[in-house]
Amino acid sequence: MKISGVDIRPGNILDYEKGLWKVAKIQHTQPGKGGAYMQVEMKNLVDGRKTNIRFRSADTVEKVRLDTKTFQYLFADGDMLTFMDKENYEQITLPADLLGDAVEFLQDGMDVQLELYEEKPISVQLPDQIEAEIVEADGVVKGQTASSSYKPAVLDNGVRVMVPPFISAGTRIIVDVYAREYVGKVQG
């Protein structure tokens, strides 16, 4: 589907110069002289390159529609991860770098969203938040105020996050996968 350069939005997938690009940021600019344009920061979905392109309203670009399918994570074998299609139970093996830094939060049996372009997986999306257990947390320093003092802690997957002072080892917390930060304590 062709769209005008000024209709590009973050999250759009564009077919640009024979590559698939995901729009990260946009900035609409209207200079004093000349026509308005959209400054677009994009990331290549195949090789991870980033680029900044100016699109004028007269420019058209092909917007790509991706199919999204739910898969279940099964296991890792070196740098390869195996997922199962929840509809037909077929298995697919993908490189771990397709997930980026989020791969550290992958848990056995976790449901993930695969984005497919012409039946080929091009990205894997984990849930935005997961539960994890604190395995190591620094003690609270006496005299610190509770309002702004967070302390470092290590999750059961080895990732370090900052947590409030009342969180101790053994506590289950909710973590934002992509921001890598503490969201709350698991109730129960």
Side-chain angles (χ1 to χ4, degrees), residues 2-71:
K2 291 262 186 212
I3 61 170
S4 165
V6 293
D7 292 329
I8 296 169
R9 298 290 174 261
N12 288 165
I13 307 296
L14 305 177
D15 185 350
Y16 180 74
E17 292 185 346
K18 297 183 176 56
L20 285 180
W21 299 81
K22 187 169 191 168
V23 177
K25 292 181 192 165
I26 60 168
Q27 182 180 350
H28 190 264
T29 306
Q30 223 164 345
K33 272 186 162 174
Y37 62 89
M38 188 73 78
Q39 185 74 32
V40 180
E41 182 181 310
M42 305 186 295
K43 182 177 180 186
N44 188 297
L45 290 174
V46 178
D47 59 21
R49 285 180 298 139
K50 287 185 178 177
T51 188
N52 278 297
I53 305 291
R54 280 185 182 180
F55 291 100
R56 300 200 178 280
S57 57
D59 297 335
T60 58
V61 65
E62 189 70 28
K63 182 179 171 188
V64 176
R65 180 143 174 81
L66 298 178
D67 295 320
T68 304
K69 219 170 180 185
T70 303
F71 279 71

Side-chain angles (χ1 to χ4, degrees), residues 55-179:
F55 291 100
R56 300 200 178 280
S57 57
D59 297 335
T60 58
V61 65
E62 189 70 28
K63 182 179 171 188
V64 176
R65 180 143 174 81
L66 298 178
D67 295 320
T68 304
K69 219 170 180 185
T70 303
F71 279 71
Q72 184 178 34
Y73 170 64
L74 297 178
F75 61 88
D77 184 15
D79 287 343
M80 299 303 283
L81 306 172
T82 301
F83 298 91
M84 178 182 69
D85 186 330
K86 294 194 74 169
E87 290 174 16
N88 59 21
Y89 306 108
E90 286 181 20
Q91 292 185 7
I92 184 170
T93 303
L94 301 170
D97 59 9
L98 201 59
L99 281 79
D101 292 340
V103 74
E104 296 172 306
F105 290 97
L106 204 53
Q107 298 170 342
D108 289 345
M110 178 183 276
D111 284 353
V112 297
Q113 297 296 317
L114 258 67
E115 290 183 316
L116 307 146
Y117 177 66
E118 295 176 350
E119 301 296 312
K120 183 180 180 289
I122 57 169
S123 81
V124 180
Q125 196 71 29
L126 270 64
D128 290 338
Q129 299 178 349
I130 59 133
E131 287 184 15
E133 187 173 328
I134 301 287
V135 292
E136 186 184 310
D138 293 351
V140 179
V141 177
K142 207 167 178 68
Q144 278 185 333
T145 58
S147 60
S148 65
S149 58
Y150 273 50
K151 62 182 184 179
V154 180
L155 303 174
D156 52 9
N157 59 9
V159 176
R160 295 182 72 84
V161 293
M162 298 300 282
V163 297
F166 62 85
I167 301 292
S168 58
T171 307
R172 291 194 63 74
I173 64 168
I174 299 168
V175 181
D176 185 306
V177 171
Y178 293 96

